[in-house]
Amino acid sequence: MGQDPEGQGVRGDDDQRPRVRARARKKVRDALDLSATSSRLASDIEQDSRQKLDTMGKIDKGDPLDKAYIDIQVDVHATWLSALDNKMIPFAQTDELRDELEEVRKIVESHYNLAVEMRTNLKTADK
């Protein structure tokens, strides 16, 4: 049973999980950079994300923290995908903006898929 490099108490494959978690953290940071826009939607999503991450401070380290973190990331990325699909891309007023939003959507979707995969791996490791 291993520990991740930051001492979060990750159990499972000592080689795989810390590497996957580090990749996920980078992808999450990339996705949250989208909130740098000044739109109300981005502000609302960012606030919701920060509230969820703040709740993690109240969770014991180890598996419960890992699960909460991944669940939050799945939820945040799903929220961004919904916003892109339903509020941003359909209302883009220029082809250039629409193309850029579609590229952003691909990135967010890849981050979402990684978070879902990580959640599945955490559940599998518990068995």
Side-chain angles (χ1 to χ4, degrees):
M1 306 277 158
Q3 289 266 346
D4 77 342
E6 296 177 13
Q8 294 295 315
V10 176
R11 292 176 185 86
D13 182 352
D14 289 346
D15 295 330
Q16 181 70 10
R17 282 180 94 175
R19 184 175 51 232
V20 171
R21 285 181 58 140
R23 249 188 0 195
R25 285 188 183 116
K26 180 192 180 311
K27 292 194 177 280
V28 167
R29 281 192 305 271
D30 292 347
L32 289 176
D33 284 343
L34 295 174
S35 64
T37 66
S38 60
S39 74
R40 181 168 185 244
L41 175 63
S43 177
D44 290 348
I45 293 172
E46 179 181 13
Q47 181 179 1
D48 182 57
S49 300
R50 292 198 189 287
Q51 286 174 344
K52 289 175 182 177
L53 290 173
D54 286 346
T55 64
M56 289 183 62
K58 301 173 187 168
I59 300 172
D60 292 333
K61 290 182 178 180
D63 287 343
L65 183 64
D66 295 344
K67 290 175 187 173
Y69 175 80
I70 294 301
D71 286 343
I72 288 168
Q73 298 314 309
V74 169
D75 185 49
V76 167
H77 286 86
T79 300
W80 272 110
L81 286 171
S82 177
L84 286 160
D85 289 343
N86 300 312
K87 297 180 180 179
M88 297 175 160
I89 294 171
F91 299 102
Q93 295 183 357
T94 66
D95 290 341
E96 182 180 9
L97 177 58
R98 184 174 293 103
D99 291 346
E100 185 65 28
L101 289 171
E102 288 172 353
E103 287 301 312
V104 167
R105 192 201 183 286
K106 289 177 188 176
I107 294 167
V108 173
E109 183 177 31
S110 73
H111 295 181
Y112 170 80
N113 290 336
L114 177 62
V116 169
E117 178 184 339
M118 290 179 64
R119 182 166 61 184
T120 301
N121 289 342
L122 279 174
K123 288 179 182 178
T124 304
D126 287 342
K127 293 182 180 181

